[in-house]
Amino acid sequence: MFGCCWCCSALRPRYKRLVDNIFPVNPQDGLVKNNMEKLTFYSLSSPEKLDRIGEYLFQRASRDIYRRRNGFVVIAMEAMDQLLVACHAQTLNLFVESFLKMIQKLLESTDPQLQILATQSFVRFANIEQDTPSYHTRYDFFVSKYSAMCHSNHNDPAIRKQIRLAGIQGLQGVVRKTLSDDLVENIWEPVHMDKIVPSLLYNMQNSRYSNKEDTTQNNPTEQSDPPQFAETCMRELVGRASFGHIRCVIRPVLRFVFN
């Protein structure tokens, strides 16, 4: 029986065996670092396998989300983050599709912690410059999802605040990514601005977070205070708008103010 299992394992593609080996028996032990280094080296040596590695990690994470084994999901996301950083710019596009599928899968989860984890990874991705932008990549889902997170009404005030902050961070990441990569998708289109701008304004007017609900911090920092962070993102959005695009920002502002 043991020999049969060993034989089946040996027949599995090498990239799958390398991916499987980064997961410990107990998820609390975290990512197996030595095996992660082997997977990273293999990815750099065989960049044509990146898309398969990413897809296999996505499949494993999807199964673990369904089984509510969130510890393994966190490990899979950490592995994808490390591969994303290690990949050379010219091979990054091979990995991006699977990476964004993973982010979307976590954002679709009902678990706030997985949504926040996905947002943190997306923000890191947004700050990476690609030599060749992924022109086929669309961010419609991310704009809609992060805008919805900005309006979270979770019963727990602390979790609600975390989700809204993640939503603002996600919107900032989407704007930065689409503009820095000069993508075909126009983030200034009304279909996007009509979601982004009201979401930021909604949080800017909700100063009760820092005044009433946040009793743990006397002096909340910008990154921990939704109104302050939303205002910063709004200023950045206006600053990035060209003369021809500024009206795309002003129109939803006026509708928000006078409605």
Side-chain angles (χ1 to χ4, degrees), residues 51-62 65 73 77 80 84 94-109 118 121-122 125 136-139 141-142:
D51 56 340
R52 298 183 184 181
I53 293 172
E55 181 62 26
Y56 185 55
L57 276 167
F58 168 73
Q59 291 174 0
R60 282 201 56 138
S62 297
I65 291 174
V73 177
M77 192 71 255
M80 295 197 89
L84 189 73
L94 296 172
F95 190 68
V96 166
E97 184 176 354
S98 297
F99 179 84
L100 291 179
K101 281 171 60 179
M102 174 83 91
I103 298 295
Q104 180 170 340
K105 190 72 175 180
L106 267 62
L107 288 174
E108 290 173 341
S109 167
S121 294
F122 181 82
F125 162 71
H136 65 283
T137 303
R138 299 191 62 84
Y139 294 92
F141 167 82
F142 297 100

Side-chain angles (χ1 to χ4, degrees), residues 15-165:
Y15 74 89
K16 286 189 176 182
R17 284 183 276 127
L18 289 171
V19 169
D20 290 337
N21 289 340
I22 70 173
F23 292 90
V25 176
N26 186 345
Q28 294 179 347
D29 294 335
L31 186 70
V32 181
K33 294 183 179 180
N34 290 339
N35 291 337
M36 185 64 214
E37 291 176 359
K38 295 177 183 178
L39 177 61
T40 302
F41 179 78
Y42 177 78
S43 302
L44 295 175
S45 304
S46 306
E48 71 278 1
K49 300 290 186 180
L50 266 174
D51 56 340
R52 298 183 184 181
I53 293 172
E55 181 62 26
Y56 185 55
L57 276 167
F58 168 73
Q59 291 174 0
R60 282 201 56 138
S62 297
R63 290 196 299 267
D64 289 330
I65 291 174
Y66 178 77
R67 297 169 182 170
R68 299 185 183 278
R69 301 195 302 182
N70 289 356
F72 289 113
V73 177
V74 172
I75 292 174
M77 192 71 255
E78 182 181 352
M80 295 197 89
D81 285 340
Q82 291 192 24
L83 288 174
L84 189 73
V85 173
C87 291
H88 295 302
Q90 60 267 29
T91 61
L92 193 58
N93 285 345
L94 296 172
F95 190 68
V96 166
E97 184 176 354
S98 297
F99 179 84
L100 291 179
K101 281 171 60 179
M102 174 83 91
I103 298 295
Q104 180 170 340
K105 190 72 175 180
L106 267 62
L107 288 174
E108 290 173 341
S109 167
T110 57
D111 188 328
Q113 296 308 316
L114 291 185
Q115 294 178 3
I116 294 169
L117 175 68
T119 302
Q120 293 170 346
S121 294
F122 181 82
V123 170
R124 284 191 286 269
F125 162 71
N127 291 326
I128 295 177
E129 294 185 5
Q130 295 172 247
D131 286 353
T132 306
S134 302
Y135 290 109
H136 65 283
T137 303
R138 299 191 62 84
Y139 294 92
D140 305 66
F141 167 82
F142 297 100
V143 172
S144 298
K145 181 60 180 180
Y146 286 132
S147 296
M149 289 170 65
C150 287
H151 294 81
S152 172
N153 287 317
H154 196 282
N155 293 330
D156 187 325
I159 295 178
R160 179 166 68 241
K161 176 180 176 180
Q162 290 179 342
I163 294 175
R164 291 191 180 186
L165 275 171

Side-chain angles (χ1 to χ4, degrees), residues 197 200-201 204 230-239 249 253:
V197 173
L200 296 178
L201 294 175
M204 287 170 61
E231 181 179 347
T232 298
C233 293
M234 190 66 192
R235 290 178 182 274
E236 179 181 336
L237 184 66
V238 173
V249 179
V253 169

Side-chain angles (χ1 to χ4, degrees), residues 2 4 12 38 44 47 110 120 169 171 193 230 256:
F2 175 79
C4 181
R12 290 169 62 79
K38 295 177 183 178
L44 295 175
T110 57
Q120 293 170 346
Q169 291 169 347
L171 290 179
M193 285 296 112
F256 183 88

Side-chain angles (χ1 to χ4, degrees), residues 199-218:
S199 298
L200 296 178
L201 294 175
Y202 176 78
N203 281 275
M204 287 170 61
Q205 74 175 6
N206 277 272
S207 59
R208 65 178 180 273
Y209 277 105
S210 55
N211 295 334
K212 297 180 180 180
E213 295 180 355
D214 193 353
T215 58
T216 60
Q217 287 184 302
N218 294 326

